[in-house]
Amino acid sequence: MTNDLLGRHRAVLPDWLALYYEEPLEITHGEGRHVWDAQGNRYLDFFGGILTTMTAHALPEVTKAVSEQAGRIVHSSTLYLNRPMVELAERIAALSGIPDARVFFTTSGTEANDTALLLATAYRRSNTVLAMRNSYHGRSFSAVGITGNSGWSPTSLSPLQTLYVHGGVRTRGPFASLGDDDFIAACVDDLLDLLGHTRAPAALIAEPVQGVGGFTAPPDGLYAAFREVLHERGILWIADEVQTGWGRTGEHFWGWQAHGHNGPPDIMTFAKGIGNGMSIGGVVARSEIMNCLDSNSISTFGGTQITMAAGLANLNYLLEHDLQGNARRVGGLLIERLRAAAAHVPAVREVRGRGLMIGIEITRPGTDEADPQTAAAVLEAAREGGLLIGKGGGHNTSSLRVAPPLSLNVAEAEEGAAILENALRSIP
């Protein structure tokens, strides 16, 4: 049946639509931190549909909210008042840390980043955008135009002039050998030099932890230092929280808060985990930025009643059960367990991350050279052991990505770490 479905998939869907595994997997149902495939095999899920199943599979509170809302009304568009949309916007505005915040809902992180770019360029009357090397911001025409990872940017054509800044990767590049303070100072000097050679940009867009790039991050405080430079020039800071938001990093509710002593971002985007599988994305911005557009607009599917009901139930569960604290505690145990396991595997260059957002970089032993074949082999071996993980990476690297639902318990963390250790040790 799976081979038949794979043939049908290939017959009608694009060739560039990636599938994991030599024998692609059809996931039929899930519960908690586990999923099952069409053959009845059970897996511990350490990727959550690309960090989207944030709390748990089939979380009763969310499924109940979706079912009850579906029995009333599913959708009406933004042309009508929408109580669940207003209620979720109020919660997110209060949590964002942005003063006088306004919230606009979209259907994905790509669309959220696209909207943030629209707002920033319209507000600043500039189509120049600063972005980070090794970044990923989505697959729309504007989003691929600011993505600093060639593997995910299929065209150089763009409505924007994009300039790329150092700093998103701590252990690679020309400043990697510096201490944290000197690294930040060098990146700020690079930013200042760049600004001296270009027209005033609209904004800098940055992921606090680079997701598709392999869960890489700068030292804490880099974006605060950048913000000081940007603020003096009126340049906006867009924090792309599509993967880092909602407490996944454990230490902070938003990734930007590790860099926040100069204030919150001007614009923040979010998506993925808030819907726990439902299609929710969005933008938070100060009112004068959000309201700068001088034409009418609507969203047909952004903020539908059914997705907003799911988001509210999911956010309530996250906060009431302190899943941020759980990500900090269980994630801390998991990363130390993985570092101990990787210490005996020459192909592992680095285990990095925070909370339940962990990257394992695979290279040819004794070098910094990427080894995508070995990374793929570990992915396969983990699946054979009953564990689903992700992969990514920039700078020609191959990284495994570990990002379980935030309700992961200690026993499941130990189980997953043991499977992944065996997969790593299977490297020839």
Side-chain angles (χ1 to χ4, degrees), residues 28-304:
T28 57
H29 62 287
E31 182 179 348
R33 276 69 58 192
H34 291 86
V35 295
W36 285 259
D37 68 15
Q39 284 71 48
N41 298 308
R42 178 177 180 261
Y43 302 92
L44 185 58
D45 185 4
F46 269 27
F47 201 41
I50 319 178
L51 291 80
T52 300
T53 303
M54 177 172 68
T55 48
H57 289 280
L59 186 70
E61 289 82 352
V62 173
T63 57
K64 179 183 178 184
V66 168
S67 177
E68 290 180 350
Q69 183 60 54
R72 293 190 292 269
I73 188 169
V74 171
H75 168 266
S76 66
S77 90
T78 55
L79 291 172
Y80 306 94
L81 288 172
N82 178 333
R83 188 174 300 273
M85 182 168 66
V86 172
E87 290 175 351
L88 186 56
E90 289 171 339
R91 298 290 300 278
I92 293 173
L95 289 165
S96 72
I98 296 174
D100 193 22
R102 298 291 189 273
V103 181
F104 176 75
F105 288 105
T106 67
T107 61
S108 69
T110 290
E111 189 189 350
N113 285 332
D114 194 78
T115 302
L117 294 169
L118 170 66
L119 292 171
T121 54
Y123 183 78
R124 288 276 293 159
R125 310 301 296 173
S126 169
N127 75 330
T128 300
V129 173
L130 304 175
M132 304 303 295
R133 300 179 186 188
N134 193 52
S135 59
Y136 174 83
H137 298 288
R139 48 148 198 83
S140 68
F141 188 47
S142 67
V144 298
I146 58 164
T147 287
N149 184 327
S150 61
W152 293 92
S153 186
T155 176
S156 61
L157 301 175
S158 174
L160 304 169
Q161 180 186 36
T162 307
L163 304 171
Y164 293 100
V165 182
H166 282 296
V169 182
R170 177 65 185 88
T171 61
R172 285 180 177 271
F175 307 141
S177 63
L178 302 176
D180 284 354
D181 290 345
D182 289 339
F183 180 95
I184 291 173
C187 291
V188 169
D189 286 344
D190 174 71
L191 173 62
L192 287 166
D193 181 69
L194 183 64
L195 292 174
H197 296 281
T198 185
R199 294 181 182 274
L204 165 72
I205 185 168
E207 306 156 272
V209 178
Q210 294 183 328
V212 170
F215 293 169
T216 62
D220 288 354
L222 174 75
Y223 294 120
F226 277 4
R227 178 167 172 71
E228 187 172 341
V229 171
L230 300 174
H231 185 69
E232 289 175 354
R233 293 157 177 79
I235 302 167
L236 304 179
W237 173 28
I238 304 170
D240 178 345
E241 295 276 356
V242 169
Q243 296 195 36
T244 52
W246 317 110
R248 177 165 289 281
T249 63
E251 297 170 27
H252 304 284
F253 193 75
W254 305 111
W256 69 258
Q257 290 171 318
H259 308 269
H261 59 261
N262 282 341
D266 301 290
I267 303 173
M268 183 180 75
T269 61
F270 61 86
K272 290 196 182 289
I274 183 60
N276 208 45
M278 300 294 282
S279 55
I280 304 176
V283 184
V284 190
R286 299 198 319 269
S287 60
E288 71 269 21
I289 298 172
M290 184 67 81
N291 295 331
C292 75
L293 303 182
D294 59 2
S295 62
N296 295 324
S297 193
I298 61 167
S299 182
T300 303
F301 289 110
T304 64

